[in-house]
């Protein structure tokens, strides 16, 4: 393997590290690394990135599963719903001009950076609000500590269960629709760009399915694995992949994913997300400057 290829292997480590710690985002570095550092064509890179992403996700998934942070049924259902989008995205990507593909990828990177920055800002706002609520609760406990607050109120009579509200049924239907649309969009991204889509999956699992963040991160790796496998199967007949290179790159991603899982409890995810979003922004601007004049 040439010296330049050895220099690119740390990118595999970073990709896995981010997959393990954040449940997504790192895979978006795979395509630029394969194109600009390892001199693969955009179509080869988007196909090869699926191998790197899939192996990195599998490694991280094993670690999260041992810790009980994977909801297998929810992850398999979400990934299964995205297979149609994955198939369409793979076919569409193969028919595009390589320069157009890389320009679109630069736009995707900017969108990912924006999503991660907004999510980080919202998480910090929620943390501050939770801290204020805890402080208010402590103040109330102190104020009530010196008073006898026995209640003599009688128990309220049991009430009959209410029938299901039409509004509740409509809300469930809307939730199911959001899950289907999000899963299809993630599959489309995976098939078209060769990325895992974890930056979309993790917020969807927390907001739509109500999973806690650590569980959403672990479950998102199952979704990424399903989507990556489907997309790669769709492209399997394309050929032209450098398997020794991809195996080395993927091994570094697997190691990084294991390390990311170990470090997830010690690092501040917000700081990691902010640094990563800044890196992605710089890379996206560089790719756009290179690709747009060739259109």
């Amino acid at each position: 393997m040439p010296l330049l290829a050895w220099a690119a292997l740390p990118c595999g480590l970073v990709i896995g590290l981010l997959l393990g710690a954040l449940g997504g985002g790192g895979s978006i570095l795979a395509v630029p690394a394969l194109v600009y550092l390892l001199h693969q064509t955009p179509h080869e890179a988007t196909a090869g990135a699926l191998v790197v992403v899939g192996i990195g996700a599998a490694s991280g998934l094993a670690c999260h599963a041992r810790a009980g942070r994977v909801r297998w049924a929810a992850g398999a259902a979400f990934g299964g719903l995205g297979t149609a989008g994955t198939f369409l995205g793979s076919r569409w990507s193969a028919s595009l001009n390589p320069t157009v593909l890389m320009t679109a990828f630069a736009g995707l990177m900017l969108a990912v950076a924006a999503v991660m920055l907004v999510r980080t800002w919202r998480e910090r706002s929620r943390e501050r609000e939770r801290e204020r609520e805890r402080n208010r609760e402590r103040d109330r406990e102190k104020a009530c500590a010196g008073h006898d607050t026995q209640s003599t109120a009688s128990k309220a009579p049991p009430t009959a269960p209410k029938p299901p509200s039409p509004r509740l049924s409509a809300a469930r239907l809307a939730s199911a629709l959001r899950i289907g649309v999000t899963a299809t969009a993630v599959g489309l991204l995976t098939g078209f760009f060769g990325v895992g889509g974890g930056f979309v999956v993790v917020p969807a699992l927390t907001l739509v399915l109500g999973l806690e963040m650590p569980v959403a991160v672990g479950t998102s790796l199952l979704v990424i694995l399903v989507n990556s496998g489907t997309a790669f199967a769709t492209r399997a007949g394309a050929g032209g992949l450098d398997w020794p290179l991809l195996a080395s790159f993927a091994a570094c991603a697997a190691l990084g994913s294991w390390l990311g899982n170990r470090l997830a409890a010690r690092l501040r995810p917000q700081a990691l997300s902010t640094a990563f979003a800044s890196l992605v922004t710089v890379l996206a601007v560089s790719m756009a400057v290179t690709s747009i004049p060739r259109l």
Side-chain angles (χ1 to χ4, degrees):
M1 199 162 45
L3 181 61
L4 192 60
W6 285 109
L9 292 182
C11 289
L13 193 66
V14 172
I15 289 166
L17 183 69
L18 291 163
L19 274 171
L22 300 176
S27 58
I28 205 165
L29 298 177
V31 172
L34 291 170
V35 171
Y36 295 108
L37 295 180
L38 303 179
H39 303 300
Q40 296 197 347
T41 67
H43 290 122
E44 291 172 346
T46 51
L50 294 169
V51 177
V52 178
V53 171
I55 292 177
S59 175
L61 178 64
C63 297
H64 282 280
R66 283 195 296 270
R69 294 193 294 265
V70 179
R71 298 294 178 266
W72 295 98
F78 198 99
L81 287 171
T83 53
T86 302
F87 179 82
L88 292 174
S90 298
R91 293 299 186 187
W92 187 16
S93 175
S95 65
L96 272 186
N97 179 283
T99 303
V100 175
L101 183 60
M102 292 310 294
T103 303
F105 198 90
L108 173 69
M109 292 178 73
L110 287 174
V112 170
V115 167
M116 296 192 77
L117 287 173
V118 169
R119 191 172 72 187
T120 300
W121 176 78
R122 287 179 177 173
E123 287 174 357
R124 286 176 176 168
S125 299
R126 291 192 197 102
E127 282 188 0
R128 287 194 292 266
E129 182 59 33
R130 284 194 293 266
E131 182 62 28
R132 284 194 292 267
E133 183 60 32
R134 284 193 293 267
N135 291 336
R136 286 193 292 266
E137 185 64 27
R138 283 195 294 265
D139 291 340
R140 283 194 293 266
E141 289 176 357
K142 289 178 182 178
C144 296
H147 301 280
D148 183 13
T149 57
Q150 289 185 342
S151 174
T152 58
S154 60
K155 285 187 178 181
T159 56
K162 294 181 179 180
S165 169
R167 185 176 298 177
L168 182 60
S169 300
R172 288 176 178 172
L173 180 61
S175 178
L177 183 61
R178 284 198 300 270
I179 292 173
V181 170
T182 305
T184 303
V186 170
L188 190 66
L189 286 173
T190 301
F192 189 82
F193 291 112
V195 300
F199 61 93
V200 177
V201 178
V202 174
L205 293 176
T206 55
L207 296 176
V208 179
L209 297 184
L211 300 183
E212 295 181 355
M213 181 58 72
V215 176
V217 169
T219 305
S220 74
L221 295 174
L222 175 59
V223 178
I224 291 170
L225 184 60
V226 171
N227 285 335
S228 298
T230 304
F232 186 74
T234 305
R235 299 169 184 242
L241 297 181
D242 187 341
W243 285 105
L245 173 62
L246 290 176
S248 302
F249 204 96
C252 289
L255 176 61
S257 186
W258 181 82
L259 292 173
N261 178 263
R262 296 286 179 177
L263 294 174
R266 303 180 184 180
L267 298 176
R268 288 182 57 85
Q270 294 89 348
L272 190 60
S273 296
T274 302
F276 173 69
S278 302
L279 172 62
V280 168
T281 301
V282 172
L283 288 175
V285 171
S286 301
M287 289 172 62
V289 169
T290 303
S291 300
I292 290 176
R294 299 178 183 175
L295 291 175

